[in-house]
Amino acid sequence: MGLTRRTFLRSSVAMLAATACSPTAAPVSKPAETKPATPPTSAPPAAQPTVAAQPTAVAPPAASAAQTPAAAAAPRTGGELQFIVGAEPPSFDGHRETTFALLHALSPHYSLLIRFNPDAYPEVMPDLAESWDVSADKLTYTFKIRDGVKFHDGSPCTARDIKASYDRILNPPEGVVSARKGSYGAVESVEAPDPGTIVFKLKYPSAALLTLLASPFNYIYSADKLAADQKFPEKNVLGTGPYKFVEYVPGSHWVGQKNPDYFVQGRPYLDGFRANFIREPAAQIAAIRGGRAQIEFRGFPPPARDDLVRAMGDKIKVEESAWIVTLIAIFNTEKAPFNDPRVRRALNIAVDRWEGSNALSRITVVKPVGTFVRPGSPFHRPESELLKMEGFSRDMTQAREEARRLLREAGVPDGFAFNLKNRDVPTPYEPSGVFLIDQWRRIGLNVTHVQQESNAYLSDHRAGNFEVSVDFIADYADEPDIQLSKFLSPDRSASNYSRYTDRELDALYDQQSRETDPERRNQLVWQFEDRCIQQMAYAFPIIWWQRIVPYSSSVKNYPVLPSHYVNQDLAHVWLDA
């Protein structure tokens, strides 16, 4: 029987009531508040950015594309952008974390080697690198680094800092977590032959390298600070970005102010920003309606969008986009009975994603049905192929009969109880968790919804302190090297919270990463997914997200892109009021 909206909402009420009585994690302490030293007033101004002649092997956007906002009206300077963040950063370390809660608060303070061009996404553009060249054999990428860039404490930023930062991402020292280490298997070494040059040498050609280097998490840290303490970025803020850190008040707000020495002339436009930490959707909507905030970068579900438009008229704009985000169900494969692939397969088969999409898309920000790569991306499976996979059938009577058979075969009794851990972010984690629990109830399972704040939730993932949990794929570009790296063996991916080692998956990942023929690469990506989702069911997708962003008409030059991770440095955003 399919899931109707009425059935789902009735189930939601019951499950949310149960959630109120379920155990939750104890509060955890927030990272210590720290401030970088104030740059000396006598420091010389940063050099103006320039872009050298474009190399033949790669064509970064021209300087005008990097520095001219797309808005037709002349930008205004001044004002403070107030925005909403629905969760707080677990730490301040971009190399470690995977959450918007870090990026939205911290990205304005940092620079990257290269970044995505918001006016021509997914093209990349200069940031600390002003130009680059690629060797004929595509095994050497040489970047020329801007001269005169300074950290917010007045110290110079050179290729040495970039090398130290990428060494930490590619080969993290003991005790340091690099969430994206597994994506950089093609990189042989990172060298800084002089203060103005950084060189990446590859083991094999990688079509994804520039996309990987433009990761919005790849903050450039001070080599001196890392030499003294590799964990310095976890509790300290020191970057070269358009805004300096002012304060962080846990449970309340995060404030940044304009960096007068920013290396892009005339940027940023704003005097500063204030990120207000507001978890509850109703309070978020009230803040937008009341003018206490201008935007929430992730977006709102359809009912909230409609309410804001009715209430605010031409004072609100709405932009919508595809979204490179999906929630996934993961299993701790070290805990019985979830160490048995038959149990994991049963839980995958039991989920009616098609009817779930119909119901959930009316109340929250989910809609497309797909695998581990975004539906509609160059790597997605057409629906005709998707319907052949376990877990994507439209015949739910047969699918749930098979799920029950697998559970019986694995010795799991009817009424078996376990906890589903989930993040306490209402949109769309909470309704997605309720949806899963409703689906699993239909095959005789008794599941308790345990919701946690972000720090405890992510800490339990890393520690393996869960049976089944809601996790996420949330990325900044459509690229299998990024989306699939999460599922590599733990010695290659710190984000494999299911704790399995599967060298067949590792090999398939490497093969698709090296494959230059698009059709052949797609086949390898699909083989990877077949093993991970169907044969072993280590993890499986729920429903992909759809981005809906209503925001104040006063906010200019913030294009809504398919990722809420990119374009968050706020250098080009301005206020028309």
Side-chain angles (χ1 to χ4, degrees), residues 234-284:
E234 292 184 16
K235 297 183 179 181
N236 300 274
V237 182
L238 180 59
T240 61
Y243 297 90
K244 295 182 178 181
F245 175 64
V246 175
E247 69 175 359
Y248 169 39
V249 179
S252 177
H253 62 267
W254 183 293
V255 176
Q257 68 180 15
K258 182 174 185 173
N259 174 16
D261 297 321
Y262 186 49
F263 55 80
V264 178
Q265 185 177 17
R267 305 292 186 274
Y269 295 115
L270 302 169
D271 290 334
F273 71 89
R274 179 186 176 100
N276 297 297
F277 298 110
I278 305 174
R279 193 185 74 85
E280 292 299 329
Q284 294 177 356

Side-chain angles (χ1 to χ4, degrees), residues 14 25 43 68 81 100 134 143 151 177 187 215 236 302 539:
T68 302
L81 179 70
F100 73 94
V134 182
F143 295 84
F151 285 100
V177 174
V187 179
S215 167
N236 300 274

Side-chain angles (χ1 to χ4, degrees), residues 57 134-141 202-206:
V134 182
S135 63
D137 62 5
K138 295 183 172 53
L139 294 177
T140 304
Y141 286 65
L202 307 187
K203 304 169 190 174
Y204 50 85
S206 170

Side-chain angles (χ1 to χ4, degrees), residues 107-160:
S107 287
H109 303 304
Y110 285 99
S111 303
L112 309 170
L113 176 63
I114 57 176
R115 66 190 321 113
F116 289 102
N117 183 350
D119 295 328
Y121 177 87
E123 290 182 6
V124 297
M125 60 181 272
D127 201 19
L128 288 176
E130 61 182 9
S131 64
W132 57 90
D133 193 12
V134 182
S135 63
D137 62 5
K138 295 183 172 53
L139 294 177
T140 304
Y141 286 65
T142 303
F143 295 84
K144 179 172 175 53
I145 306 305
R146 298 181 190 274
D147 184 37
V149 177
K150 293 184 180 297
F151 285 100
H152 295 159
D153 65 356
S155 59
C157 176
T158 69
R160 174 173 170 264

Side-chain angles (χ1 to χ4, degrees), residues 13 41 95 99 166 175 232 253 289 311 358 430 438 440 452 516:
V13 171
T41 56
H95 301 172
T99 172
Y166 270 95
F232 176 84
H253 62 267
R289 287 185 62 169
N358 289 338
E430 185 176 279
D438 175 74
W440 293 336
Q452 302 174 286
T516 57

